[in-house]
Amino acid sequence: MNKWLGILAIALCPLFVNSAAEAAAIVGKDIQYKDVKGTVPVVTSGASPAALEALNAQFVKNLQGIMADYIKQRDENRSQTALPESIKKSMSFAGNYRVYYDSGPWVSLVQNGYLFIGGAHGMPFENAVTVNLDTGKNYKLADLFKPGFDYKTYLTERVKNEAIERKELDLLVRPEVTDQQKFYLTEDGLVLYYAPYEIAPYSNGFVRFMIPYRDLAGEWVREVADIEPGFILIGEEPFWHIDIRPGEFIRFRGVFETLVDQKLAYDRPAYTGDTWVYNLGSDLSVTIVRQPTASTMADNRHFECTAYLKWQGKTYKGGAQKW
């Protein structure tokens, strides 16, 4: 088993987990810098007026910086007498944005666009921003994880392995995850991305790797995600099986003196670091510990967690696997 999968032992429900949280209102605003135009996002709710003003000013500054670089390169190229007039006239700039996640207090979006200053092709750009509107904090990748977790090594291994599996990628260099890694958040997972030429040819465009939240649970900082684990539990001698579906149900089946099959309403666990305890009734509880274990059967199956079922005064050991 991959050692990192043993570390990241639990599954995570859809992100940032209050589905009833109110989304921030985000609208587009056209701006102009010298003779170049573009569109920036404007967040109009979800934070104090001062925080919103600072955030929106940052969006303008981000795009204006790219506009200024474009204008400088464009004007330098246009001054070259050897460059055909048709190329000079075709130089252009486009700037816009895309919101990938918006559920109070979290906003994750990308300011993107395309510029052409001559040559074989233009160049796209993307700049991601992830912010907590309650605190006004702009998050770096390191801010998403608990202190002490070697997220760069884990994520580098993930993107390296996926890059090898994706046959369409003609890698120029081995992908690495650094402190400056570009990322954004979606409903389904953390997206790491690389610009054209960064790890692959221009023809591959932006190269993206999506890491599902369920693979990051347990290392996600508590202020970022209110984590609810999801598991498949299997025990032997006697056989028992528990399916934990966060927000949906917990189903318990087992062969004890008689066949037991109970479908219970989901109730969130007591969470203490590496242990989750589900109290399911007066004589039924489950404890899951983030510690790898193996089955006692001949197949020697390996599990990412150790599980303990307490049923009618007795305790039975088993394994737990994320779903």
Side-chain angles (χ1 to χ4, degrees):
M1 179 185 297
N2 185 306
K3 65 177 180 178
W4 290 107
L5 294 181
I7 293 174
L8 299 176
I10 67 172
L12 179 62
C13 265
L15 178 67
F16 306 168
V17 160
N18 183 1
S19 60
E22 182 179 355
I26 304 174
V27 298
K29 177 183 177 181
D30 294 335
I31 65 169
Q32 183 166 340
Y33 182 76
K34 295 185 178 180
D35 62 338
V36 177
K37 296 180 180 180
T39 302
V40 296
V42 178
V43 183
T44 63
S45 67
S48 68
L52 292 176
E53 181 179 1
L55 177 61
N56 293 327
Q58 184 62 50
F59 292 143
V60 173
K61 182 179 179 180
N62 290 347
L63 190 60
Q64 284 183 339
I66 300 173
M67 289 173 163
D69 290 340
Y70 162 74
I71 291 172
K72 179 181 178 181
Q73 296 176 55
R74 179 200 65 185
D75 292 349
E76 288 178 354
N77 288 352
R78 283 179 175 175
S79 67
Q80 298 178 18
T81 57
L83 195 66
E85 287 299 317
S86 60
I87 298 295
K88 294 179 181 181
K89 291 180 180 180
S90 65
M91 293 180 184
S92 61
F93 177 93
N96 214 314
Y97 69 95
R98 178 176 176 181
V99 179
Y100 283 94
Y101 189 82
D102 179 11
S103 181
W106 291 92
V107 171
S108 190
L109 59 79
V110 172
Q111 292 185 263
N112 54 26
Y114 185 86
L115 54 90
F116 177 68
I117 53 174
H121 52 71
M123 196 67 180
F125 64 87
E126 291 190 5
N127 291 313
V129 175
T130 295
V131 62
N132 182 321
L133 296 178
D134 282 349
T135 64
K137 179 177 180 178
N138 279 272
Y139 272 66
K140 297 180 180 178
L141 187 61
D143 297 328
L144 298 175
F145 300 98
K146 292 178 180 178
F149 174 55
D150 188 3
Y151 71 94
K152 287 183 286 187
T153 299
Y154 170 72
L155 294 176
T156 294
E157 184 173 340
R158 287 292 299 261
V159 300
K160 176 193 70 175
N161 291 338
E162 183 177 334
I164 293 172
E165 293 172 1
R166 286 164 58 177
K167 304 301 183 182
E168 81 278 11
L169 290 180
D170 183 16
L171 291 178
L172 301 174
V173 297
R174 178 180 183 271
E176 297 282 345
V177 173
T178 69
D179 291 328
Q180 290 74 44
Q181 178 64 49
K182 297 181 285 292
F183 74 95
Y184 55 85
L185 307 172
T186 71
E187 293 286 346
D188 300 314
L190 166 69
V191 176
L192 310 176
Y193 70 94
Y194 298 83
Y197 295 124
E198 198 170 355
I199 64 169
Y202 179 87
S203 58
N204 284 119
F206 282 89
V207 180
R208 307 175 198 275
F209 302 92
M210 199 276 281
I211 315 298
Y213 295 124
R214 63 178 178 270
D215 293 345
L216 300 172
E219 305 303 343
W220 215 242
V221 296
R222 295 297 291 177
E223 70 177 277
V224 175
D226 190 7
I227 297 172
E228 296 183 46
F231 296 102
I232 297 294
L233 286 68
I234 298 176
E236 299 151 357
E237 300 176 1
F239 171 81
W240 53 273
H241 176 278
I242 298 177
D243 185 4
I244 299 177
R245 299 282 171 166
E248 299 180 36
F249 61 83
I250 299 176
R251 186 167 186 176
F252 167 47
R253 288 173 286 181
V255 180
F256 293 86
E257 294 181 0
T258 60
L259 178 66
V260 177
D261 191 339
Q262 298 184 39
K263 188 173 182 181
L264 308 170
Y266 178 76
D267 190 12
R268 298 183 67 182
Y271 173 76
T272 55
D274 289 338
T275 303
W276 292 262
V277 179
Y278 296 83
N279 291 308
L280 307 179
S282 59
D283 61 355
L284 177 62
S285 67
V286 177
T287 299
I288 302 171
V289 181
R290 186 163 48 155
Q291 180 178 357
T293 190
S295 72
T296 59
M297 302 297 284
D299 60 2
N300 195 30
R301 183 186 306 174
H302 290 271
F303 298 94
E304 297 171 345
C305 296
T306 303
Y308 299 92
L309 167 67
K310 187 175 182 180
W311 170 245
Q312 295 184 342
K314 296 182 179 181
T315 300
Y316 304 90
K317 183 180 177 182
Q321 194 80 10
K322 67 179 182 293
W323 53 259

